[in-house]
Amino acid sequence: MVSHEDLAVRTLGPCRIDSPLAERLVARETTQHSVVEEDRILFDDTISMAGGRGLPVEQLPSLEPGGPRKRIYFDPAKTRVGIVTCGGLCPGLNDVIRGLVLELSRHYGVRRIVGFRNGYRGFVPRYGEDVVDLTPEVVMHIDDEGGTILGTSRGEQDPDEIVDALERLNINILFVIGGDGTIRGAMDVVRVVGERGLKVAVVGIPKTIDNDIPYIDQSFGFQTAMAEATKSIHAASVEARSAPGGIGLVKLMGRHSGFIACYATLAKDDADYVLIPEVPFALDGERGLLQHLRRRVQERGHAVVVVAEGAGQEYIEGEEPGRDASGNVRFGDIGRLLRKRIVEHLDAHGVENNVRYFDPSYAIRSVPANPFDSAYCLRLAHAAVHAAMAGRTEVIVARRRRRFVHMPMPLAVSRRNHVDPLGDLWLSVLEATGQPVRFE
Ligand SMILES: Nc1ncnc2c1ncn2[C@@H]1O[C@H](COP(=O)(O)OP(=O)(O)O)[C@@H](O)[C@H]1O
Ligand SMILES: O=P(O)(O)OC[C@H]1O[C@](O)(COP(=O)(O)O)[C@@H](O)[C@@H]1O
Ligand SMILES: [Mg+2]
């Protein structure tokens, strides 16, 4: 249960400097579309959850609103900013970089902005990475391309070496664009900054196509990645419907969460089965997937199976799951295993089958952001600049229930966002595919 204390935002100190945006901050008030900076946003959004706390309303857990403050902590003329992108690629990384640079330079008059190359290793001398001067001219059109102009990496780095670089370059604000690993790394940086008594704001923009960041509406890039995934599902459906016993099989990224598989299926309502890490499934047996799939192919002549890469790992034999440089699990290939088991099962029952296996893998995350994610990335970047200039630190900016908020980093990494097997998203998938609630 998230408490009031979990939502407290750290600041570097009082805001005494008039914001350059002050004249734009006309008499705002809290409405359904905006929140004044003195107000807060309730965390619970149902009567039962809020009422269940038995607390007076002002003690209910609440989040600090995002957005520009009338007074800021940093003097823009003396502020130097660093930006880093870490972890896997995600549509919109360049949009966030671009948004940060344009907001800082155009609206706050911050002139010195550098990009660190290839993730956190960009701070560490032994990698010999140069920093990149970021100006509006440099970033103006980078959002046309996928990936990140700064490069990224995985693998832990020494936070003391990162803070050494911040001190050498006299950086006052660091924006980290990354997922749970990056945010954990940023918390180590915040710890060392505090130990050294430095006044450096560290603000995160949460990133992952997996949508596994908790308590936020959706991570940027997720919508673009799932839209890209629908192309493979549609192709699988065309192939399946074009051959006797046609079976289209699509494996999608998402690591431990099945959101991409679920939403891509709902968007392109062509799939007969969706398999996700959150819902175990029996392969064999009278009520197993293979029997059900065989009957579906016999009755209908074709079928499409969408499998999230983290599903069914219990069936991967002889392969110890690897780990990447950051310690994230590297899965066995459930798509290849399913293809093998489906062909064996249908052959054994004399059912003609033509299985077409699609693994778009990196293709769904290396594309440029779609217009929704581009706009979302720009707004996240604006919120991140407002938060940092106001001296907020050890926070991520996030969109929650349609409002931009400051979420403490410890909360952002306290758990992983998963598809709820009892939730409405999974129910919609079951309704769309017609698959049984359980294969057991
Ligand atoms: N548990 C951790 N503690 C501290 N830093 C971490 C941790 N996990 C990852 N990092 C740092 O964050 C970077 C990105 O993490 P990774 O898990 O690869 O991607 P993501 O941030 O997208 O989850 C790594 O290169 C590493 O420097
Ligand atoms: O890029 P790698 O190291 O091959 O990792 C692939 C993994 O990265 C992801 O794309 C997500 O990466 P991040 O969480 O680091 O953004 C997963 O969906 C996928 O399993
Ligand atoms: Mg991660």
Side-chain angles (χ1 to χ4, degrees), residues 283-284 312-321 332-334 336-337 340-341:
L283 260 179
D284 300 304
Q313 292 301 303
E314 63 272 29
Y315 297 114
I316 309 282
E317 289 158 0
E319 280 182 51
E320 269 308 300
D333 188 338
I334 186 61
R336 211 176 51 207
L337 176 127
K340 177 173 178 293
R341 294 296 307 277

Side-chain angles (χ1 to χ4, degrees), residues 87 120 153-157 179-182 184-185 188 207 326 328:
Y120 284 133
S153 68
R154 296 187 188 278
E156 290 201 34
Q157 304 301 334
D180 58 322
T182 304
R184 287 193 177 90
D188 290 344
K207 166 238 60 160
S326 295
N328 300 299

Side-chain angles (χ1 to χ4, degrees), residues 278-282 287-288 421-422 426 430 435-440:
E278 296 93 334
V279 180
F281 61 94
R287 299 159 59 82
L422 303 177
W426 186 241
L430 294 178
Q435 70 188 62
V437 174
R438 276 256 187 259
F439 292 110
E440 50 205 353

Side-chain angles (χ1 to χ4, degrees), residues 86-90 93 152-154 178-182 207-213 252-257 260 309-310 324-326 328-331 361-362 364-365:
C86 308
L89 289 189
C90 178
L93 279 166
T152 182
S153 68
R154 296 187 188 278
D180 58 322
T182 304
K207 166 238 60 160
T208 180
I209 63 167
D210 301 351
N211 195 38
D212 66 0
I213 311 276
L252 296 173
M253 279 187 164
R255 206 178 273 129
H256 301 292
S257 301
I260 295 174
E309 63 176 345
D324 68 17
S326 295
N328 300 299
V329 169
R330 278 202 183 285
F331 299 116
S361 78
Y362 298 98
I364 71 169
R365 70 177 207 188

